[in-house]
Amino acid sequence: MLTHEDGNLSGLSVQEFVLVGFEGGLETQALLFAVFLGLYLVTVLGNLTMIVVITLDVRLHSPMYFFLKNLSFLDLCYSSVIAPKALTNFFSSTKIINFASCASQLFFFSLLATTEAFLLAVMAYDRFMAICNPLRYPVTMCPSACARLVLGTYCGGCLNSIIQTSLTFHLPYCGSNHINHFFCDVPPLLRIACANTALNELIMFGVCGMIIVGTTLVVLISYGYIMVTSLRMRSGTGRHKVFSTCGSHMTAVSLFYGTVFVMYAQPGAVESMEQGKVVSVFYTLVIPMLNPLIYSLRNKDVKEALRRLGRKHAAT
C-alpha cells in the first residue's frame, strides 16, 4: 500500500498508522526519550517493589494492601502497554504501528485505565468500612468479597474497553494515517476517521463521564463519612493515622481523575491534541510512577515492611 508524503492514502483502507508523537529535532527526541525511560524505569521498579513487599510480608495481608497490590499491578501493566512502543518511536524514522497492534494497544490501555478508576473507588469504600464500621469490616471485606470487588472492577473495565475499541475501529480510515499522539487513543483516532464521529464522541464523553462522576461520588461520599468519623475520635494518634492513610489515597485519586477528566470527559478535549499529549504523559507514566511513592513514603506499615524485608535479605 502506497502512502503519500502528506500522510494520505489514495482511497485505500488504512492497514497501518503512523504515531506522530512529539515535535522537535534529534536533541528534543533524545531528551524526551531520557525522560520517558526514567519515568518508566521508576514506575516498573516502584510498582514491582510494592507487589513483592505486600506479597512476602504476612503483616500486609489485609484488604487495604490487597487492593494496593492490585493498583500497583494495574499501574505496571498499563504503563507497559504505552511506554515501550513510545520509547522505540523516538528514534524511529517510520513510527509505524499496524492496525491490529493499534487496536490491541487501545483495548488494553482502556481496560487497565478504566479498571484503575473503579479500583480507586473500591479502595475508598474499603477505608470507609474500616474506619466507619470497624465491627462489620472483617465480615464485609472478607477475602472472597475483596476478590469479587476486584473482579468487578476488571469486568467494568473490560466492558468500557470493548465499547470504545469496537466503536473506534469500526469507523472507516481511508484518509490520513498519521495519529497525532504517541500511542493509539480514541480522541486522535476520531480525528482521522473518514466518517461523522459525533456519535462516537458523544458515547466517549457519556460513558467516561458516567464512570468518572460515579466513581468520584463514591470516593467523596466515603471520605466525607471518614472525615466526620475521624473528627469524632478522641485519640489524636488514631486521627493522625486516618488522615495520613486517607491523604495518600486522596492524592492519588485527585491526580488520576483530574487528568482523565481533562482528556475524556469534557467537550472540546478531542480538538486539543497538543494539550492531550502532555496530559496523557501524566496519567500513563507520571501517576503510575508516583502511586507507589505516595503510598510507601506516607505509609508506616509499608516502610516497616521494607525494612524487615531488607534485614531478612541482609541476614541471608
Side-chain angles (χ1 to χ4, degrees), residues 30 36 44 74 107 124 173 178 187 200 216 242 269 281 297:
F36 269 58
V44 172
L74 288 171
F107 176 83
Y173 295 94
H178 282 51
N200 294 70
T216 301
V242 169
V281 172
L297 293 178

Side-chain angles (χ1 to χ4, degrees), residues 74-271:
L74 288 171
D75 283 338
L76 177 64
C77 289
Y78 91 74
S79 291
S80 298
V81 169
I82 304 299
K85 181 62 177 176
L87 287 168
T88 58
N89 280 348
F90 279 119
F91 297 115
S92 172
S93 58
T94 59
K95 301 185 178 183
I96 287 175
I97 183 170
N98 63 49
F99 194 91
S101 297
C102 188
S104 298
Q105 187 180 55
L106 173 60
F107 176 83
F108 285 108
F109 168 72
S110 181
L111 164 64
L112 295 163
T114 307
T115 301
E116 178 155 331
F118 286 122
L119 183 62
L120 289 171
V122 169
M123 291 172 69
Y125 174 72
D126 170 69
R127 291 298 83 208
F128 160 73
M129 291 301 301
I131 295 166
C132 301
N133 295 283
L135 297 179
R136 295 175 55 190
Y137 182 71
V139 176
T140 306
M141 302 301 291
C142 64
S144 60
C146 292
R148 286 195 298 270
L149 284 169
V150 170
L151 179 60
T153 65
Y154 278 94
C155 290
C158 188
L159 179 61
N160 181 50
S161 182
I162 290 171
I163 291 171
Q164 301 295 347
T165 307
S166 60
L167 287 176
T168 301
F169 283 94
H170 270 86
L171 290 169
Y173 295 94
C174 53
S176 172
N177 69 337
H178 282 51
I179 300 174
N180 188 19
H181 215 316
F182 61 92
F183 68 95
C184 291
D185 199 6
V186 176
L189 280 164
L190 295 185
R191 295 191 68 182
I192 63 172
C194 301
N196 188 334
T197 61
L199 178 61
N200 294 70
E201 292 179 30
L202 181 63
I203 292 173
M204 181 184 73
F205 295 141
V207 173
C208 292
M210 284 191 295
I211 292 171
I212 293 171
V213 170
T215 52
T216 301
L217 282 175
V218 172
V219 171
L220 291 177
I221 293 170
S222 297
Y223 281 100
Y225 278 106
I226 289 171
M227 288 291 290
V228 172
T229 303
S230 62
L231 291 173
R232 292 175 179 171
M233 290 181 177
R234 295 182 179 179
S235 170
T237 304
R239 193 182 305 116
H240 174 74
K241 185 175 182 180
V242 169
F243 280 121
S244 177
T245 303
C246 296
S248 300
H249 190 197
M250 284 303 296
T251 302
V253 166
S254 300
L255 288 170
F256 183 81
Y257 286 157
T259 52
V260 170
F261 178 82
V262 168
M263 190 66 187
Y264 300 105
Q266 61 165 338
V270 177
E271 301 301 325

Side-chain angles (χ1 to χ4, degrees), residues 14-45:
V14 170
Q15 298 300 317
E16 58 188 23
F17 297 101
V18 176
L19 292 169
V20 174
F22 295 89
E23 296 179 355
L26 187 60
E27 290 184 0
T28 302
Q29 298 301 310
L31 176 62
L32 288 170
F33 175 85
V35 170
F36 269 58
L37 181 61
L39 290 173
Y40 182 57
L41 290 177
V42 175
T43 298
V44 172
L45 179 62

Side-chain angles (χ1 to χ4, degrees), residues 49-61 69 305 309 312:
T49 300
M50 290 296 289
I51 292 170
V52 170
V53 168
I54 293 171
T55 300
L56 295 180
D57 197 306
V58 292
R59 300 184 190 183
L60 299 182
H61 291 180
K69 182 167 74 170
L309 192 62
K312 183 178 179 181

